[in-house]
Amino acid sequence: MPPIATYPGSIHLHIHVLNESKDIVVNKTTATPSRTKDPGLRTKDPGNKVSRGDKLTAQDSSRLLSTSSSASVNSTGARKKPAPVATPPDSPRASLAPAKPTPIRRKPFPPKTVTGKPGSSDNILMPRAPSFPTASSIAKPTGPATFAKTSSPKKPPTASSSPDYSNTTLFSSHPTTETDIAGKQRFTGEHVKYMKKDEDVPCSITDTLQHFPTDDGENKEIATSPPQNPPTNLTVVTVEGCPSFVILDWEKPKNDTVTGSCMTYNLSSSFFFVSEYKVVSTENGAPDGKNKCVTTTNQTHSTVENLKPNTSYEFFVIPSNPLGEGPSTDSKPFKTESADPRVNEPISMGKDAIWTEIKFNSDTYSECKGKQYVKRTWYKKFVGVQLCNSLRYKIYLSDSLTGKFYNIGDQRGHGEDHCQFVDSYLDGRTGQQLRSDQLPTIDGFFRAVRQEPVKFGKIGAETHTNYVHWYECGTTVPGKW
């Protein structure tokens, strides 16, 4: 009988069974995983060991076959393996190459840009900050202050410094109607642009300014002289139904360094100056020096607030840099439209009509950080207002002028009807609108509906009473009387 080849990872049983003087050869191959031999296994009972090619009795063959079959069933219970293909004894198989070990993939080490003690749980590894030159490491000129141009190219004015006035869905040279709410003619001109607004929406300076891009301030041009040219394309942008403010927009002076910066040195330190524009608005017919407002900005647009309704104004812009002022733009006229009687309640010219600028004590739950104004009202409470701008503010109430001013809670909404406290008919816009359980519990006044007297107590979490960061009621504070 020819020899049978053996293969790694398999067990070959060559069994002879004597049956009617014939040798029945049974070949059974059971695949098993390769294991490392344990020297201790060699001490097992040699009686159970069967040499390959030895003849067995019927009892031995039955025992071995049943054991082999059960082992095959148990080994395939969890995962089925394909049946082995029978190979003729005379066809030797090529020996398998030994398996190559799989290299362990290791995560690369991070770059050495962190500081901190490795292995410390309470030490957060942070990127190492770049070193900055100190005052002692900067060479200081010993001569007098001088101004020189840097090597960086001058950044020309870009179209992004002004809104896209060709967008007719936002801007128009003509209003929706030629007359205002009082039937008076609206002002038009080549330098005037109108924006639309829904009638039931309060006027908002904040929302209007979202359409005007801000300058990134990246220009580092050094000024060598005052501006030589005026700003160009001065435009008056007004919102229909909002006579209390306009947005003035212009373009940077051409071929000038007004929007650049200036660097000067002395023996002790260096200074960086940013150029500005002076925006001048004057009420026509007012005495010289009266009702004239001058504001400064480093942007190419500016808001002029607290304008009187149905009043004529003149606007112009003066460029400047640290070396002086340049020529101004031509003066542009404009007349505001009439006030909407549906917004503001009628106010007498008596003592209760005027907002007075007084600093008062209040909590810090407010988005507005500007000036504070106080007015006495008909419901025997002092109303305190802190400005974000003249049309967005935080409203407070107090029992006395020198006492603390408290937030106002709303049991049915988010303070929309609190615009009544600033003499507005509108249910205004408010923010930030959070659920009462998201607000801290504080002391304050509260009510449920307009005209209802206010009560004092806890508002905020667990009270189902909301309060907000700001109000927009359509009426200006302090306004013009």
Side-chain angles (χ1 to χ4, degrees), residues 72-302:
S72 176
V73 171
N74 293 334
S75 63
T76 58
R79 182 180 62 183
K80 293 184 178 181
K81 296 183 179 181
V85 180
T87 305
D90 296 335
S91 57
R93 298 181 182 179
S95 59
L96 297 177
K100 294 182 179 181
T102 302
I104 300 176
R105 296 183 179 180
R106 299 182 182 273
K107 187 176 182 180
F109 290 104
K112 296 180 178 180
T113 59
V114 296
T115 59
K117 184 179 179 181
S120 176
S121 59
D122 57 350
N123 209 355
I124 301 176
L125 300 182
M126 298 296 292
R128 194 173 288 163
S131 59
F132 293 95
T134 60
S136 60
S137 64
I138 300 176
K140 301 171 182 176
T142 57
T146 59
F147 300 96
K149 287 189 175 182
T150 60
S151 59
S152 59
K154 182 177 179 180
K155 184 178 179 181
T158 60
S160 62
S161 60
S162 293
D164 182 11
Y165 291 121
S166 63
N167 185 355
T168 57
T169 60
L170 287 176
F171 303 98
S172 176
S173 298
H174 300 280
T176 304
T177 59
E178 294 182 358
T179 57
D180 60 24
I181 190 68
K184 295 184 178 181
Q185 192 78 17
R186 283 188 166 120
F187 188 92
T188 58
E190 294 181 355
H191 61 283
V192 178
K193 297 293 182 182
Y194 277 88
M195 298 180 67
K196 300 177 183 178
K197 180 188 73 68
D198 295 336
E199 292 185 359
D200 57 344
V201 175
C203 297
S204 174
I205 295 174
T206 306
D207 289 353
T208 306
L209 286 175
Q210 291 180 358
H211 303 290
F212 291 80
T214 57
D215 192 351
D216 55 16
E218 292 181 354
N219 193 356
K220 302 296 188 237
E221 186 71 19
I222 301 302
T224 57
S225 66
Q228 302 299 307
N229 300 303
T232 60
N233 297 332
L234 177 59
T235 303
V236 180
V237 182
T238 183
V239 180
E240 295 183 23
C242 300
S244 68
F245 76 96
V246 295
I247 307 293
L248 299 182
D249 178 61
W250 61 90
E251 293 182 5
K252 302 175 183 179
K254 295 181 179 179
N255 302 322
D256 233 330
T257 58
V258 59
T259 56
S261 57
C262 181
M263 186 84 71
T264 181
Y265 294 90
N266 58 24
L267 295 178
S268 59
S269 61
S270 61
F271 299 94
F272 185 84
F273 296 96
V274 180
S275 61
E276 293 179 332
Y277 297 93
K278 291 185 178 180
V279 181
V280 183
S281 58
T282 305
E283 179 185 342
N284 288 338
D288 293 341
K290 189 176 182 180
N291 291 339
K292 180 179 180 179
C293 178
V294 179
T295 60
T296 59
T297 179
N298 59 359
Q299 301 295 316
T300 55
H301 63 268
S302 180

Side-chain angles (χ1 to χ4, degrees), residues 408-415 434-442 446-448 458-467:
I408 311 170
D410 193 342
Q411 294 176 314
R412 291 192 178 182
H414 289 87
L434 300 176
R435 299 193 312 270
S436 59
D437 58 356
Q438 297 176 302
L439 298 169
T441 301
I442 59 176
F446 62 91
R447 72 179 188 184
K458 297 294 183 181
I459 59 176
E462 300 180 358
T463 66
H464 304 289
T465 304
N466 305 306
Y467 54 93

